[in-house]
Amino acid sequence: MQAINITAYTEDASQIEAVKAFMKSLKIKYEIANVKPYELSAEQQEILNNQLNSDRSLYKDAESVYADLKKKYEL
């Protein structure tokens, strides 16, 4: 058996369930990993780490910033 990696960018949980059902129908073994679709640079991670000790109302987490950018640029 040879393993391959497939990345699926789903909109909601129903799409994940559909992919799982499809894989089961073909009797293909699979595993689902929750991987973030972005990587932070060391500088970005340091900025986020520094925000941990600040007032939480003053900062945004990376996932919110990512979602805002996707929405802004209609990605």
Side-chain angles (χ1 to χ4, degrees):
M1 176 174 30
Q2 182 180 6
I4 61 169
N5 292 323
I6 298 173
T7 302
Y9 298 99
T10 58
E11 296 293 323
D12 57 41
S14 66
Q15 291 178 330
I16 295 171
E17 293 304 314
V19 170
K20 289 163 81 174
F22 176 73
M23 298 297 275
K24 285 180 184 177
S25 71
L26 295 177
K27 298 180 180 173
I28 297 174
K29 292 181 182 182
Y30 64 92
E31 64 181 58
I32 296 178
N34 187 14
V35 178
K36 295 179 181 176
Y38 54 85
E39 296 208 11
L40 299 177
S41 68
E43 180 184 1
Q44 291 168 325
Q45 186 63 55
E46 184 179 337
I47 290 168
L48 287 176
N49 289 344
N50 290 337
Q51 291 175 346
L52 290 175
N53 297 325
S54 65
D55 182 5
R56 290 190 176 261
S57 66
L58 300 176
Y59 77 93
K60 269 186 144 176
D61 61 85
E63 290 175 4
S64 297
V65 172
Y66 180 72
D68 291 346
L69 288 171
K70 278 180 60 177
K71 184 177 179 181
K72 179 179 178 180
Y73 293 105
E74 299 176 358
L75 299 175

